[in-house]
Amino acid sequence: MGSRASTLLREEEIEEIKKETGFSHSQITRLYSRFTSLDKGENGTLSREDFQRIPELAINPLGDRIINAFFPEGEDQVNFRGFMRTLAHFRPIEDNEKNKNPTASEPLNSRTNKLLFAFRLYDLDRDDKISRDELLQVLRMMVGVNISDEQLGSIADRTIQEADTNGDNSISFNEFIKACEVYVEQNLLLQAELNL
Amino acid sequence: TRPPPLTETHTPPALTETLYISFVEVGVENVQMADYFKGVASFLIVSLGGTLVGLVFAVLLSFITRFTKRVRIIEPLFVFLLVYLAYLTAELFSLSAILSMTFCGIGANKYVEANISQKSRTAVKYTMKTLASIAETVIFIFLGISAVDKTKWAWDSGLVACTLVFILVFRAVGVVGQTWVLNRFRLVPLDRIDQVVMSYGGLRGAVAFALVVLLDPERVKAKDYFVATTIVVVFFTVMFQGLTIKPLVKWLKVPRSTNRKLSINEEIHERAFDHILAAVEDIAGLQGYHHWRDKWEQFDKNYLSRLLLRKSVYRKSELWEAYQRINIRDAISLIDQGGNILTSARLSLPSMASRTSFPEVTNVSNYLRENGSGVCLDLQAIDNVPGSKVEEETETHHVLTGNLYKPRRRYQSHYSRHFMPLGEQERQDREVFQRNMRSRLENFKSSRHKRHRKDRSLKKRRGSDVKEMDGGDKPRRNVSWQDKDPVQVPGDSDEEKPSECEKDEDVGITFVARKVDTVKQRPHSVPAALEGGQPPPAPPPPPVSSSPSSPSEAAGLLPWKGGLGSPPPCVSLEATKVIPVDLQEAWNQSISSLESVSSPHAPPEPLHPRISALCRAGGPRPASYTPPGTSSLREREEEEREEALQEVQPLMRPLPPPPPPPPGSAPGPGRRRNPCVYLRSLVTTPPAETSEPHSRGPTQL
């Protein structure tokens, strides 16, 4: 299976992806076979429907948001490069690559980029702020039906108050980082051994 | 947060048992060098044979429950008796009885659960729990009695002390070794604390004691010593370790909890991260994309399910019905909670006059909410009073921890003999699933709508656009789970779509509803659906609320019909895994509907499962229109429906009864009635349906 997938993927492509995302060769081929198995249209790109077909995502409260995160703005298809670029956010940070090439631009799996990815899931209108409404939407997705709108509203208010340092009643990216920083050491997203 | 894994798993007792049979019953003194190999062989035979017996009975059990439709009462009986029979049979052949029982349960689980009725399911579940508790109690009584009965045991301090030490050591070794392996595959590795707790949590209880009591004193001369040791071990582990494990866990977690106080932000974001990770994992297919699993599922789908599942279940008609019901409920709740989405202004029907109350309602709730947040702000303002703030914060935490959806891993393998929290996960899955499907539907609708809008001439739209503006921003704020501004398609179609559109809509309805009957055609018709070149010929124009059978008859003939109605095989393969059994059909359905969206030649408004549900659930059937050959179909449908009703109950979300239909909302005459309103009136006034001769409402039975 792996060998078949790798034949479809040209070596230079693999090299490029490797350089861009830091995935290893075997990871890339594995993910490529996954990519092709998701790609029901067999046109080399994934559509939203392809993602929505993944059954687990249907029971993930944030599933659709995450699907959206795979698509560049205004586009309906994502190719393998884009797919890998998004996945690269979740590659664990390895010790040896911290000082490897400090001059290069920040790798996709850096802490900031990981947080930015999460931040974007909240920030629908891309104004680099999580407004109360945006927070409410996410909250509503994540809580059960037992919480009333009022409760949720006050939770959202409190959340914003807690994180909001400049008093604009919304959470900017910096504030978001700060809010998450406290427990960043144990943060799953940042520490996760996502064995891609 | 994490309950320590105290319970014993199934396999170790089974292993012990097989070893026991292999060695003790053979006789220790007979064991020679060659016998070790024989021992291995007999171990394999004992365990594999037990498994095989279990699987055979699993097949038998599944097959039997397939035919118990008319005598539901014996279903639990069969479940217990056949599993017991598996036990006896394995015992008869000196095979591993525990393994046989276990595998009988594992194997039959999927099919039996789908076959038997919900009540039987509950009966089995509770009987099992009760039996387990009784058995445990009895064995502990035995334990207590034999502990004080000196004739039963003989004391040996060395043996006892060594055993106590060694069980701790070996447990720890086993835990560390296994977690080391496991951690290579786990997303969230088990850390030191987990390992300590797991090592310490090795409680020995009933099984160990039962096995030691069963020893044959003729063969095992030291039985009395073993008994004494086992009693001590049981008492030590259960009493001492069991009582101290909680303080231990607390003590171990202390550094963690004092180091940081979880802020609300952290709590929410962390949970969000968990979900994100889980989702990415699923997208990347980390759960393992297994060739063999696929093969097995293919086999299961093609042969086993066909053989072992009741036909109606196999064809999912019950689930399908259930899905439709859910859809109706959702539609209602969609209207009720999100009444603001479908702002009454947009639905320009006379019957909608009654809906004018909605903006007020939203205003009130807005007001309430703003008031609530005002209170918060007040609290913030008088921040110097720490008490109230802390209190509210803890309150918030409480609410959050209680209600945030849990990511997959946290709730996965908590089984308790005494509590039945099983519904929790299902409930969550169902809620999330419904919500996701709904938002997809909305998204889909709005995207369809946009496309539609381009096609249509603008002047036609103008009137309603103005009205949409009237809808304003305010009500929309409440719609927290909407990603995009939804557009009310039904209302829209009512406004100005010519009857042709309605026809198309009807087609959309029927293909969804029709699916049940087209399952078998799936493989052949899929390509047709994908490539299907021409827009389908319109079926004979029935009225909107016409009988489901008439268009579906026509629909069955259409080339693209079967394909659209059925999910592609590849999808259902994967889908069988995660989605709760009773949602699978809904899942497949949504897939197929989404698929139909992507296929370019689908009719303009192909997707109205809710409406279709409505049509099926209670649409008055015009007696005038009965295409040839529908009568048998109808009968079959009737039968399936009957069955479905028994199964449907658990799927119903306990929604508060919707408000009674406003007097103005009675469905208007003719084809221009608003589906939503119509639906509403249908569901809220079930008694009316019973009076209708042709209705098939739930109250009919």
Side-chain angles (χ1 to χ4, degrees), chain A residues 158-159 161-162, chain B residues 261-264 267 379-380 386-400:
Chain A
R158 182 149 289 284
T159 313
Q161 275 169 27
E162 203 179 75
Chain B
K261 188 172 140 283
L262 214 65
S263 72
I264 300 175
E267 197 162 344
L379 278 176
Q380 183 71 359
S388 55
K389 196 194 170 188
V390 168
E391 200 175 302
E392 194 201 309
E393 205 143 89
T394 44
E395 174 67 17
T396 313
H397 276 290
H398 187 69
V399 170
L400 274 180

Side-chain angles (χ1 to χ4, degrees), chain A residues 52-53 58 140 142 157 188, chain B residues 274 373 405 435 571 587 595:
Chain A
Q52 285 171 347
R53 236 179 251 119
R140 183 41 90 189
M142 291 207 307
D157 286 330
L188 287 179
Chain B
D274 288 350
S373 60
Y405 286 134
R435 205 175 280 182
V571 175
W587 163 251
E595 212 129 274

Side-chain angles (χ1 to χ4, degrees), chain A residues 117-184:
Chain A
F117 182 88
F119 184 78
R120 291 262 182 251
L121 290 186
Y122 290 89
D123 183 24
L124 280 187
D125 54 6
R126 300 263 172 145
D127 62 351
D128 288 330
K129 273 182 203 153
I130 302 176
S131 68
R132 183 174 181 277
D133 277 355
E134 286 165 342
L135 188 65
L136 257 185
Q137 288 184 19
V138 175
L139 276 178
R140 183 41 90 189
M141 288 178 183
M142 291 207 307
V143 300
V145 289
N146 299 330
I147 291 195
S148 68
D149 281 350
E150 287 98 274
Q151 276 173 309
L152 212 60
S154 65
I155 289 175
D157 286 330
R158 182 149 289 284
T159 313
I160 289 180
Q161 275 169 27
E162 203 179 75
D164 187 18
T165 48
N166 60 5
D168 61 351
N169 221 6
S170 58
I171 304 177
S172 70
F173 183 51
N174 279 333
E175 288 162 352
F176 184 76
I177 293 183
K178 225 169 280 163
C180 298
E181 208 160 47
V182 190
Y183 70 116
V184 121

Side-chain angles (χ1 to χ4, degrees), chain B residues 234-264:
Chain B
V234 169
F235 273 96
F236 179 77
T237 54
V238 172
M239 299 294 170
F240 181 73
Q241 284 179 246
L243 286 180
T244 50
I245 195 157
K246 196 166 183 185
L248 180 78
V249 170
K250 270 196 184 149
W251 181 72
L252 284 172
K253 305 265 174 178
V254 160
R256 216 167 158 185
S257 53
T258 47
N259 268 356
R260 63 195 182 101
K261 188 172 140 283
L262 214 65
S263 72
I264 300 175

Side-chain angles (χ1 to χ4, degrees), chain B residues 305-320:
Chain B
S305 292
R306 247 168 238 246
L307 176 71
L308 299 181
L309 281 186
R310 188 166 293 181
K311 226 177 207 158
S312 53
V313 178
Y314 172 62
R315 285 156 67 214
K316 301 282 170 62
S317 72
E318 300 180 12
L319 297 175
W320 172 238

Side-chain angles (χ1 to χ4, degrees), chain B residues 254-300:
Chain B
V254 160
R256 216 167 158 185
S257 53
T258 47
N259 268 356
R260 63 195 182 101
K261 188 172 140 283
L262 214 65
S263 72
I264 300 175
N265 265 289
E266 289 162 352
E267 197 162 344
I268 292 171
H269 299 323
E270 189 176 323
R271 200 51 74 80
F273 291 153
D274 288 350
H275 288 306
I276 293 171
L277 267 189
V280 169
E281 210 185 23
D282 296 332
I283 289 174
L286 295 185
Q287 287 293 301
Y289 163 76
H290 291 307
H291 184 63
W292 284 108
R293 204 182 69 191
D294 281 0
K295 277 262 189 269
W296 164 253
E297 277 165 10
Q298 190 73 39
F299 173 74
D300 176 64

Side-chain angles (χ1 to χ4, degrees), chain B residues 55 75 177 252-254 316 330 359 365 405 488 497 645:
Chain B
L55 290 180
E75 279 171 350
L252 284 172
K253 305 265 174 178
V254 160
K316 301 282 170 62
D330 278 2
S365 69
Y405 286 134
Q488 227 314 330
K497 232 181 269 172
L645 277 174

